[in-house]
Amino acid sequence: MDQDSHCTAERELLEAVSRITTFSTTSRITTFSTTRPSDKEENQPKGEISCQLRKENPEKDDLQDSSATLSPHSSMTTKELQEYWRNEKSQCRQVKLLFEIPSARIVEHHLSKYVTYKIIILQTGSFDSNKSVIERRYSDFEKLHRNLLEEFSEEMEDVTFPKKALTGNFTEEIINERKLAFKDYLRLLYSMKCIRRSKKFIDFLTRRELQEAYGCLRGGQYTKALEILLEVIGLQERLTRGNPVSIVPTLCAIVVCHKDLENPASAFEYGEKALSCLRVHSSHRYYIPLLETMITLAYELGKDFLSLQEKLEEWKTKKDPIRVFTLKELAVREYVQ
């Protein structure tokens, strides 16, 4: 190649590089100008823009939240972290319950006669395969209403309660009217945050079944007790999402039943759920008995029990030695009249 041709090639190469550089710079400027916020967005408060960004990229937001709330020196295992964030996310989702009363039946017991109403409790927003079904009679609703009036007189001021008729309480017409009235009554109570989280409201929906379950447990009928407890725990979890510690006794009763029925794997599974509820409540009366039971189950199943043993030893160094009941001893004391 002669010198003139070589110089011409160099010039063409330099011009090509210049064009590419110019195009790249122009593209960046164009992109920047087209992605500038609109006047409307510029005038938006920063808080609103931040909320929009959080909605557009929730996964990134979850990661930011986790890095902000968890200590870098957290001693949680991977499984504990997964359970922790599963619980945290479930707390953020609002759970709404729907009450239906599809049927009622007349019960004649010795010299008494009354009507029981079948209540179905469903979670709205998605298909709920774990619906809860309970039965309550008029006197149960009446007792609930009196109890709520004592504690929430202002909130209950405009809540009407179906009055008992002097005659005709067992006619189809009256029963159908009360089915609709009680359905509306429960929906109205649940719509009030202070009431749906109150112990009196939750007891109305769960206490009778829990009393029966613990009665079976004390009588050694572990299969029947477990059947009832597994039905109740789902409803309890929905009703007490803001207070997971309140379901610990039921979870521990399930552990006891599974353990006595020689189902160590299932017992360990529910024990882990109970421990996750107590991770910041080491002074709870169930904490040490649960830890001791979990150590036994972990050893039996060939799982890591050293971390559980460390937690137990750590607790013993901080607390004065006191007599601690076993998990089963605690369970049989629940709901004793």
Side-chain angles (χ1 to χ4, degrees):
M1 180 182 292
D2 58 21
Q3 188 174 0
D4 291 340
S5 300
H6 182 72
C7 291
T8 302
E10 283 187 347
R11 282 198 303 272
E12 290 177 351
L13 179 61
L14 288 172
E15 289 174 359
V17 171
S18 177
R19 284 196 300 272
I20 293 171
T21 304
T22 304
F23 175 77
S24 175
T25 305
T26 307
S27 297
R28 285 198 300 271
I29 294 172
T30 303
T31 302
F32 177 76
S33 63
T34 56
T35 57
R36 285 189 61 200
S38 63
D39 293 339
K40 182 179 179 181
E41 290 174 333
E42 286 181 344
N43 295 329
Q44 259 188 306
K46 291 182 179 179
E48 292 183 14
I49 296 174
S50 174
C51 289
Q52 289 178 357
L53 292 174
R54 287 168 68 93
K55 290 177 181 177
E56 291 171 1
N57 198 350
E59 293 182 0
K60 182 178 178 182
D61 184 56
D62 287 342
L63 292 173
Q64 290 174 340
D65 287 345
S66 62
S67 63
T69 54
L70 275 184
S71 166
H73 305 293
S74 173
S75 59
M76 287 185 179
T77 64
T78 302
K79 189 170 185 178
E80 287 174 332
L81 284 168
Q82 290 173 344
E83 182 66 24
Y84 173 80
W85 288 116
R86 192 179 297 114
N87 290 336
E88 287 296 312
K89 289 181 179 179
S90 68
Q91 294 293 336
C92 295
R93 292 194 296 268
Q94 185 180 4
V95 175
K96 294 183 179 180
L97 298 183
L98 179 68
F99 298 87
E100 295 290 344
I101 304 181
S103 62
R105 63 189 180 96
I106 299 173
V107 178
E108 296 190 45
H109 184 67
H110 297 303
L111 299 177
S112 63
K113 185 178 180 181
Y114 54 87
V115 180
T116 62
Y117 298 87
K118 182 179 180 180
I119 306 169
I120 298 178
I121 306 161
L122 299 163
Q123 181 175 321
T124 62
S126 61
F127 176 73
D128 189 2
S129 60
N130 297 317
K131 64 183 179 182
S132 300
V133 182
I134 60 175
E135 282 191 329
R136 294 295 182 266
R137 53 190 291 189
Y138 182 94
S139 59
D140 296 323
F141 281 97
E142 195 174 35
K143 182 180 178 181
L144 169 66
H145 191 70
R146 287 198 307 269
N147 290 338
L148 292 177
L149 282 174
E150 291 175 1
E151 187 174 353
F152 306 102
S153 56
E154 292 185 8
E155 291 82 357
M156 296 288 292
E157 187 176 5
D158 297 325
V159 178
T160 57
F161 186 80
K163 295 180 180 179
K164 182 177 287 188
L166 296 176
T167 59
N169 288 295
F170 302 103
T171 63
E172 185 178 353
E173 182 182 359
I174 293 295
I175 291 174
N176 287 334
E177 285 179 1
R178 285 185 179 166
K179 279 164 48 181
L180 295 173
F182 284 141
K183 181 178 73 173
D184 292 339
Y185 178 73
L186 288 174
R187 286 181 176 181
L188 181 57
L189 294 182
Y190 185 77
S191 69
M192 292 182 275
K193 185 177 180 180
C194 60
I195 290 180
R196 72 169 174 263
R197 290 187 175 182
S198 69
K199 186 177 184 301
K200 292 177 180 179
F201 182 70
I202 295 171
D203 280 352
F204 168 79
L205 297 171
T206 61
R207 187 177 182 86
R208 176 176 293 180
E209 286 69 26
L210 286 172
Q211 285 177 327
E212 182 183 359
Y214 280 100
C216 292
L217 192 155
R218 284 188 288 272
Q221 298 176 304
Y222 302 114
T223 301
K224 179 63 174 175
L226 183 60
E227 179 185 339
I228 300 171
L229 290 168
L230 290 175
E231 290 180 0
V232 175
I233 190 64
L235 178 56
Q236 275 190 308
E237 287 175 333
R238 297 170 191 174
L239 291 168
T240 61
R241 292 183 84 86
N243 183 23
V245 177
S246 62
I247 67 171
V248 167
T250 306
L251 288 171
C252 288
I254 293 174
V255 172
V256 170
C257 289
H258 274 305
K259 189 171 183 296
D260 281 10
L261 290 170
E262 299 182 356
N263 299 325
S266 297
F268 191 84
E269 177 188 348
Y270 281 93
E272 284 186 314
K273 290 182 180 180
L275 275 181
S276 69
C277 294
L278 295 176
R279 61 178 176 268
V280 292
H281 299 278
S282 59
S283 60
H284 195 279
R285 70 186 189 280
Y286 271 91
Y287 183 70
I288 294 307
L290 178 59
L291 265 183
E292 292 174 339
T293 300
M294 290 295 285
I295 291 170
T296 302
L297 290 169
Y299 182 80
E300 182 180 348
L301 293 167
K303 295 180 179 289
D304 172 34
F305 62 89
L306 294 179
S307 59
L308 296 169
Q309 188 71 46
E310 288 174 2
K311 290 179 181 179
L312 181 61
E313 295 301 326
E314 181 184 356
W315 184 89
K316 287 181 177 179
T317 59
K318 293 180 180 179
K319 303 286 184 179
D320 295 329
I322 56 174
R323 180 174 183 268
V324 177
F325 293 108
T326 66
L327 196 67
K328 188 171 183 178
E329 286 173 339
L330 278 179
V332 298
R333 283 170 167 77
E334 293 285 345
Y335 291 93
V336 175
Q337 297 293 341

